[in-house]
Amino acid sequence: MRLLVPALVAALVPASTSAQTAHDVAQAEIKSLLERVRAPMYTGSGATLPGKTATYSVSGTRCSTRLEVSYPSHQIDATAHPARTEATDFAWNRVQSTRLSNGDQYVVVMAPNLPARGRFLYAGSAAATLKAAIDRLVRLCGGTTQAVAIAPPAPPPPAPVQPAIRIEAVPGKGYAATVATFPVAQLSSVSDRIAALAKQRCGRLSARMGRYKYFTSTDAQGRAALTQYRQSFSCYDPATDPYERAPADWKPSAQDQADLTAFADRYMGLLDRSDYVAGMPMMEPILEIEKDEWLSVPNMLTQHAGRPGRWSLQTLGWVNNPEGASHPGRYAFVKVTATYPKIAAYCGTLVIYRQRPGSYLITQQNLSVIPESWITSGRTTRAEALKTCAQ
């Protein structure tokens, strides 16, 4: 199951909840797809290097992403090569093209700051899914996603059949757009069609997009599809919108910072105690959080931690009216680092919306819990677990 708003699914984490911008969703999917693979390594002749693979580490925000590739020590013929890490920075607004290559197992990104033949990103059978996520982010940032033409173009294939979209009223909440099943390559077009239908349904009012989620599936030919896609939206009058824009020059006071820290600390305590009755109301209602979703992190701690533990909070910064957010306002980013028995890594971020002085709501939660048992069982390594919290 892939749950995007409000859940950010990382490669090693069974469940987490978040409300994300379109940029965040694409960044998270690129990170998840690249960090779950081990990229083949090649000799100078183009043959694969037996028993050696490279690993990816991805970090990024908005229209910038840093890719770090870690190569193990290896030997080619008589030459020994030490372990090393190389970094590549992607500026998605400068991308000129993207394409699939090498049996459709690689995505090739062409941009001025990348190698002349493009940067090859290995994703294996998920390369088409990775390209779709990259293309969404490139389009959001104003880059170009057309592949470089290396041969006379073939006649265009028939236009794919667009899946049916059903709009239904949700009493007291607005509307929900649902789609049965469609190829992952159509995700962008489906999102655009839903936005157009929402605008049409709201008429003279404005549409506010809320939570969306879907499940992924793969057919016998390895083609990825999305099923049970659901996007919530509501209509509002801009003249009476309860969400006011923050002044561009607004800065938090010392009291704002103290209130934020107290709120985040209280929320972490409720997670620690699995108190969903008090914890769920601290989330933004637009997230439509369900009990099982909220309890995903507490359940991991209950199952693996062996209690008790402790956490620390660090405010990374505040942002006014971030582009792509569900609504305008003042937002704070808080880094969480926690230490628990039998837990190799427990960390992440909270994005917190300031409703008014002294009143806050969680609008995004991205917390990773990696038990020690996952390392002893070989499911992951300690280095990979620690890397999760180092980003």
Side-chain angles (χ1 to χ4, degrees):
M1 171 184 176
R2 178 166 297 277
L3 180 64
L4 289 179
V5 174
L8 174 64
V9 179
L12 299 176
V13 184
S16 59
T17 55
S18 64
Q20 301 168 309
T21 68
H23 297 78
D24 294 332
V25 173
Q27 288 272 13
E29 190 163 4
I30 292 169
K31 176 182 175 68
S32 175
L33 289 168
L34 286 176
E35 290 190 347
R36 72 177 58 176
V37 300
R38 292 183 175 271
M41 294 175 60
Y42 298 89
T43 64
S45 63
T48 57
L49 199 60
K52 297 292 184 179
T53 55
T55 58
Y56 293 141
S57 175
V58 181
S59 60
T61 57
R62 301 294 300 168
C63 294
S64 299
T65 297
R66 164 158 285 212
L67 171 72
E68 293 186 353
V69 187
S70 297
Y71 299 95
S73 58
H74 58 281
Q75 184 160 333
I76 300 178
D77 298 327
T79 304
H81 299 268
R84 73 185 192 279
T85 298
E86 295 180 353
T88 302
D89 293 312
F90 292 82
W92 300 111
N93 61 312
R94 302 184 66 194
V95 169
Q96 298 170 334
S97 70
T98 63
R99 62 184 172 88
L100 296 177
S101 182
N102 292 28
D104 289 349
Q105 290 192 315
Y106 288 78
V107 180
V108 184
V109 180
M110 301 287 291
N113 59 321
L114 299 181
R117 294 179 56 245
R119 186 65 169 87
F120 283 66
L121 304 175
Y122 176 77
S125 61
T129 304
L130 175 63
K131 183 178 184 299
I134 289 175
D135 287 353
R136 288 203 313 277
L137 187 53
V138 170
R139 286 193 294 270
L140 285 167
C141 296
T144 306
T145 60
Q146 288 80 7
V148 174
I150 57 176
V161 177
Q162 293 293 323
I165 298 175
R166 179 184 176 187
I167 305 293
E168 57 183 352
V170 181
K173 295 183 178 179
Y175 300 91
T178 58
V179 190
T181 301
F182 59 92
V184 68
Q186 292 184 345
L187 178 57
S188 293
S189 63
V190 167
S191 298
D192 292 343
R193 289 172 60 207
I194 290 176
L197 290 172
K199 183 177 180 180
Q200 178 182 344
R201 179 60 61 98
C202 291
R204 67 175 184 81
L205 302 178
S206 297
R208 172 163 286 137
M209 310 309 289
R211 162 196 174 116
Y212 70 95
K213 65 178 180 179
Y214 56 73
F215 294 83
T216 58
S217 62
T218 305
D219 63 18
Q221 287 73 42
R223 294 172 297 195
L226 307 183
T227 64
Q228 301 181 43
Y229 186 99
R230 186 180 189 276
Q231 166 78 69
S232 300
F233 68 91
S234 59
C235 304
Y236 70 97
D237 186 345
T240 59
D241 186 7
Y243 297 105
E244 297 181 355
R245 291 187 63 83
D249 60 351
W250 182 87
K251 301 292 184 183
S253 66
Q255 186 61 54
D256 289 323
Q257 185 60 54
D259 292 341
L260 171 74
T261 302
F263 173 86
D265 191 65
R266 176 171 175 259
Y267 181 76
M268 292 300 299
L270 296 174
L271 277 178
D272 187 71
R273 298 190 296 276
S274 302
D275 188 351
Y276 67 91
V277 175
M280 288 175 58
M282 297 176 72
M283 311 289 286
E284 274 216 84
I286 198 172
L287 302 183
E288 301 179 32
I289 291 294
E290 297 173 359
K291 176 182 174 182
D292 289 346
E293 297 171 26
W294 194 89
L295 285 173
S296 60
V297 169
N299 285 346
M300 283 289 290
L301 296 176
T302 300
Q303 181 180 357
H304 297 282
R307 309 275 179 200
R310 54 188 176 84
W311 58 88
S312 62
L313 305 174
Q314 177 189 358
T315 302
L316 300 178
W318 294 71
V319 178
N320 298 327
N321 313 312
E323 182 182 353
S326 296
H327 57 76
R330 303 161 176 84
Y331 294 81
F333 295 79
V334 177
K335 180 179 181 180
V336 177
T337 305
T339 303
Y340 280 73
K342 303 180 183 179
I343 298 295
Y346 177 17
C347 55
T349 56
L350 301 174
V351 181
I352 301 176
Y353 166 59
R354 177 187 182 273
Q355 295 187 100
R356 54 188 175 276
S359 179
Y360 296 83
L361 290 170
I362 304 290
T363 195
Q364 177 178 326
Q365 174 180 306
N366 176 22
L367 297 176
S368 300
V369 180
I370 304 176
E372 286 282 355
S373 60
W374 288 11
I375 296 175
T376 56
S377 68
R379 181 170 177 175
T380 187
T381 66
R382 187 168 303 280
E384 289 171 335
L386 295 178
K387 187 188 298 183
T388 300
C389 293
Q391 297 171 356

